[in-house]
Amino acid sequence: MDKNQKALVVFSGGQDSTTCLFWALKQFTHVEAVTFEYGQRHHKEIEAARQITKELNVRHHVLDMSLLNQLAPSALTRTDQPIEEKEGELPSTFVPGRNLLFMSFAAVLAKQIGARHIITGVCETDFSGYPDCRDVFMKSLNVTINLSMEEDFVVHTPLMWLDKAQTWELADELQAFDYIKEHTLTCYNGLMGTGCGECPACRLRNKGMIEFLEKKGAKTT
């Protein structure tokens, strides 16, 4: 049995990472969260992460990753770049190297706080083609991080094979559906909850929620 029951959640304040935070609180005896400030399109993301961790009584670390903004311009780090999805291309919201850097720095922090488990909300089912959300990348990075620090970290990806409807279902199972629906920020335009309804993130989130609620309603009738 693993005696180290301390975990660190890579946390953005959005639907996926908040679901992972609730999941981690069920799985581990001590949970902390880390948010990266990299000049993302909306500082409200940081504010949402601070508020959620405060309400859930989770120790929250915010790390400065502003260098990423300089190195990897995208629609998530530049307000003058449009949010676009073109067939055969990565979305304009892709930030090259983001998860590579986030997970690496999360591991450094995990070592400092004595946490063996690192949780992230990446997903290969509804991932917009982002290469750094793939299962093979996460498994490879887990090995690399362990080799680099001579540690035995375990990277958990509880949403890896779930689509958005199933992610909402998991939130419901964790008794966190209403909280996540109302208090998280997924919208690329910086609107809380169900967001603007128009950007790719909102469309994906809301489509999944409708599918889950329809499925749940069918089961209860």
Side-chain angles (χ1 to χ4, degrees), residues 65-182:
M65 295 285 289
S66 54
L67 179 61
L68 182 59
N69 186 295
Q70 301 174 42
L71 291 173
S74 87
L76 279 193
T77 60
R78 300 286 190 277
T79 56
D80 60 349
Q81 290 194 20
I83 296 171
E84 297 177 326
E85 290 183 311
K86 296 180 180 179
E87 188 174 351
E89 298 180 10
L90 285 170
S92 64
T93 51
F94 175 60
V95 182
R98 181 173 60 168
N99 285 339
L100 172 65
L101 292 174
F102 284 5
M103 294 300 293
S104 298
F105 277 84
V108 175
L109 176 60
K111 182 176 176 65
Q112 301 310 309
I113 65 174
R116 179 170 180 253
H117 301 273
I118 306 170
I119 297 96
T120 177
V122 297
C123 164
E124 193 169 321
T125 306
D126 288 328
F127 74 138
S128 302
Y130 291 179
D132 59 356
C133 289
R134 294 175 298 177
D135 185 59
V136 65
F137 167 72
M138 282 295 158
K139 284 184 167 58
S140 171
L141 186 60
N142 196 164
V143 172
T144 299
I145 288 171
N146 287 346
L147 289 173
S148 73
M149 291 195 238
E150 290 193 351
E151 291 290 337
D152 192 23
F153 295 117
V154 180
V155 173
H156 300 266
T157 55
L159 309 185
M160 181 57 74
W161 306 114
L162 305 185
D163 60 23
K164 276 293 181 284
Q166 292 168 322
T167 300
W168 282 114
E169 183 177 6
L170 175 59
D172 193 49
E173 291 171 358
L174 294 168
Q175 299 181 321
F177 178 88
D178 289 336
Y179 185 91
I180 291 171
K181 178 176 177 286
E182 297 169 8

Side-chain angles (χ1 to χ4, degrees), residues 50-68:
R50 290 187 192 278
Q51 185 63 30
I52 292 167
T53 51
K54 180 180 179 181
E55 290 174 354
L56 298 182
N57 196 30
V58 171
R59 186 184 180 193
H60 186 216
H61 308 264
V62 179
L63 300 185
D64 178 11
M65 295 285 289
S66 54
L67 179 61
L68 182 59

